[in-house]
Amino acid sequence: MITDLVLAIFCIVFVPVLGGFISGIDRIITARFQSRVGPPLLQPFYDVIKLFGKEKVVVNVWQAFCAYCYIAAASISIVMFFFKSDLLLILFVQAVGAIFLVVGALSSTSPFSQVGAHRELLQILSYEPLLVLVVVGMYLEVDSFKIWKIYEWNEPLILKLPFLFIVLGYALTIKLRKSPFDLSTSHHAHQELVKGVLTDYSGPFLGLIEIAHWYETVLVLGLCSLFWATNWIGGFILVAITYILEIIIDNVSARMTWRWMLGYVWAMGITLSVVNMVWLSLV
Amino acid sequence: MIGIKKFISKMRTKSPWLLHFDCGSCNGCDIEVLACLTPVYDVERFGIINVGNPMHADILLVTGTVNHRNKVVLINLFNQMPDPKIVVAIGACGLSGGIFRDAYNVVGGVDKVIPVDVYVPGCPAKPEAIIDGVVAGLSKL
Ligand code: SF4
C-alpha cells in the first residue's frame, strides 16, 4: 500500500521532469538541424515556471476547469501505465483528457481557438483508432490487455508486430504535435492559426497544459517501449531511435491539411495493421 | 515567499516571449526584428520566442508610427497581454513618428498611446540594438 503510494507520487513528480528534459533535448536538436545553437536544456522548465508567475487571465471558468481536467487525466493515465494496468483503460482515460483540451478551447469565441479545436478533434479522430489497433495487435500476441503480461512475454513484440510499430509511429507524430501533422498547434511559430487550440489558454493554465503534454509525451514513448519490453536497454534504444526519427521527420516535412491527414493516416494505419494481424495469424 | 518571487522573476528573464506588432512601419524595422530570429543572431539561445499571440507574450515590440486607425489595435493588443509586460518601441518611427511625423494621419510615437519601457533608435534599428533593447527591458520584468 505504502509502496504503491510512493510509486504513484514518484511518477506524478518525476514524469514531468523527464518530459521536460525530452522537450529540451528536442528543441536543441531541432535548432542544430536549422544550423542554430538553440536554447539551453532547461528552457522548457524556465518557460513553465515563468508561465506560473504570470497574471491569471481566463476567457471563462470552463476553460480553467478544462485545463485542470486535462492534466488530471494525463497524470492518471501515466500512473496507470507505471502500475502496469490495462492498456485499453489507459487509452480511454488519456482520450478523455484530450477531449477536455478541445472543450476548453471551444468555450472561447476566438476564431483561432475554434478552428484549432476543430483540427485537434480531427487529430484525435485520426490517432485514437490507430492506438486501439496497436493495443488490439498486442492483445492478439500476448492474449491480454494488461501491461504486466507484456513485460512477462519472453520475446520483444517488435519482432512479431513490426508494422504495428509503424502505425504507432503515426499516432506518435500526431500526439507529439510534429510536422506534417502539427495542424492544431505546434511548438514552432504557427502563422496561420496563431497558436491554434492553445491560443486562448494563457499564463498558469498554459503552464498546466504544457505539463500535461509532457505526461502524454512520456505515455506515448512508454507505449513505444512496450515493443521491446524484455529488457530496459533494448526499450530505451528503441524509444531513442524513434524519437530522433520523429525530430527528423518534423524538420524535413511541411504542415499538411487535415483532409490529407485523415485519409493518409487511416489508409496507411488500417492497411498496415491488417497486414500485420493477418501475418500474425499465419505464422 | 520572497524566495519564490525572486525565483520566478529570474525565470522571466530567461524566457521572454515576444509579440511583434507592425504599427505602420515601412517594413525596414520589421525585417530587422525578424533577422534576430535567423541563425545569425538566433535569439532562441536566450529562450526568446516570437509567439504572435498577445495572450502568451511578455514583451511587445512595436515598429513604425502610430496612426489614428491602428492606435485602437495597438491599445487592444497591449490590454490583452497578461502582466507583467514591457513595451519596446523600435526605430525612429516608433520613437517619435520619424519621417512620417508631419503626415495628417499620424499620431506620433508609440508612447503617445501606451507606456513604453525601452526605446531603440535607428532607421532601421540594427538587430544588435533590438536585442540590446530587449535585454535592457528584461531588468524591468
Ligand atoms: S524607423 Fe526607418 S526603417 Fe524603421 S519603420 Fe521608420 S522609416 Fe522604416
Side-chain angles (χ1 to χ4, degrees):
Chain A
M1 182 65 206
I2 293 290
T3 50
D4 283 358
L5 204 65
V6 170
L7 177 64
I9 292 173
F10 177 75
C11 50
I12 286 180
V13 175
F14 171 74
V15 165
V17 175
L18 182 68
F21 275 115
I22 293 174
S23 130
I25 295 170
D26 183 344
R27 281 176 72 172
I28 292 176
I29 297 180
T30 301
R32 297 292 152 88
F33 278 137
Q34 299 165 354
S35 62
R36 294 186 289 117
V37 177
L41 180 60
L42 295 178
Q43 188 61 45
F45 298 105
Y46 300 154
D47 291 346
V48 165
I49 295 168
K50 175 206 72 176
L51 286 171
F52 281 117
K54 294 278 282 182
E55 184 191 4
K56 279 201 186 83
V57 181
V58 280
V59 180
N60 59 48
V61 285
W62 290 107
Q63 203 181 24
F65 173 76
C66 290
Y68 284 118
C69 287
Y70 177 43
I71 191 168
S75 54
I76 291 171
S77 56
I78 197 82
V79 168
M80 290 202 300
F81 184 83
F82 274 76
F83 276 99
K84 304 198 175 123
S85 114
D86 194 296
L87 272 173
L88 273 183
L89 193 61
I90 293 174
L91 285 192
F92 285 113
V93 172
Q94 178 273 333
V96 168
I99 294 292
F100 268 109
L101 177 69
V102 175
V103 174
L106 282 175
S107 72
S108 120
T109 50
S110 146
F112 299 116
S113 153
Q114 293 269 334
V115 177
H118 290 146
R119 288 190 186 179
E120 177 76 17
L121 272 180
L122 287 161
Q123 281 182 211
I124 295 173
L125 197 66
S126 312
Y127 75 74
E128 287 295 340
L130 301 195
L131 286 180
V132 172
L133 281 174
V134 168
V135 170
V136 168
M138 287 177 167
Y139 174 83
L140 291 180
E141 176 67 9
V142 304
D143 235 3
S144 167
F145 285 118
K146 299 274 189 257
I147 296 179
W148 57 266
K149 263 285 189 26
I150 296 174
Y151 276 106
E152 279 175 358
W153 205 246
N154 46 20
E155 66 170 350
L157 287 179
I158 192 163
L159 301 178
K160 283 284 175 59
L161 308 169
F163 294 125
L164 277 178
F165 189 73
I166 299 172
V167 175
L168 181 62
Y170 284 117
L172 187 67
T173 318
I174 300 178
K175 199 64 221 162
L176 292 176
R177 308 195 183 293
K178 299 272 187 210
S179 288
F181 304 127
D182 53 349
L183 305 165
S184 67
T185 183
S186 118
H187 297 293
H188 317 298
H190 199 295
Q191 297 303 333
E192 90 264 24
L193 270 189
V194 190
K195 203 68 176 156
V197 68
L198 302 181
T199 303
D200 270 350
Y201 289 102
S202 67
F205 301 106
L206 187 63
L208 284 181
I209 286 172
E210 194 59 36
I211 294 177
H213 182 64
W214 294 344
Y215 278 123
E216 290 200 320
T217 306
V218 175
L219 180 71
V220 274
L221 292 178
L223 283 181
C224 284
S225 76
L226 288 183
F227 276 83
W228 201 298
T230 44
N231 67 37
W232 285 104
I233 303 169
F236 179 78
I237 293 174
L238 186 66
V239 168
I241 292 174
T242 316
Y243 200 78
I244 290 180
L245 278 178
E246 289 291 342
I247 299 176
I248 294 175
I249 292 170
D250 185 29
N251 278 286
V252 298
S253 52
R255 183 175 306 137
M256 302 300 275
T257 62
W258 67 263
R259 281 188 188 82
W260 180 84
M261 176 187 70
L262 208 60
Y264 178 75
V265 169
W266 275 9
M268 287 303 280
I270 293 170
T271 314
L272 286 174
S273 310
V274 169
V275 168
N276 205 151
M277 285 173 194
V278 168
W279 178 52
L280 205 62
S281 61
L282 291 181
V283 288
Chain B
M1 203 57 211
I2 295 172
I4 294 176
K5 272 204 176 131
K6 258 201 164 154
F7 180 64
I8 288 183
S9 71
K10 188 154 176 248
M11 292 302 137
R12 266 180 203 136
T13 63
K14 282 177 180 284
S15 130
W17 289 0
L18 304 181
L19 172 67
H20 167 215
F21 180 53
D22 172 357
C23 218
S25 155
C26 75
N27 279 168
C29 287
D30 298 319
I31 289 168
E32 302 298 324
V33 168
L34 293 180
C36 300
L37 304 171
T38 58
V40 179
Y41 297 101
D42 185 24
V43 287
E44 208 195 351
R45 278 177 299 160
F46 313 114
I48 300 178
I49 299 180
N50 187 1
V51 286
N53 178 0
M55 304 275 285
H56 296 175
D58 305 297
I59 300 181
L60 176 60
L61 298 183
V62 190
T63 52
T65 55
V66 182
N67 59 39
H68 290 288
R69 263 306 164 107
N70 62 27
K71 76 176 177 203
V72 191
V73 182
L74 180 60
I75 294 170
N76 199 358
L77 284 176
F78 179 75
N79 289 337
Q80 280 181 8
M81 285 169 63
D83 281 325
K85 56 189 169 190
I86 59 169
V87 178
V88 180
I90 294 171
C93 295
L95 267 50
S96 63
I99 53 164
F100 305 113
R101 68 189 175 281
D102 289 331
Y104 65 92
N105 59 335
V106 168
V107 180
V110 176
D111 54 4
K112 288 262 168 63
V113 280
I114 56 172
V116 173
D117 299 277
V118 183
Y119 297 86
V120 180
C123 180
K126 290 172 94 175
E128 290 93 338
I130 297 173
I131 297 173
D132 229 26
V134 170
V135 171
L138 288 183
S139 58
K140 296 192 180 185
L141 263 179

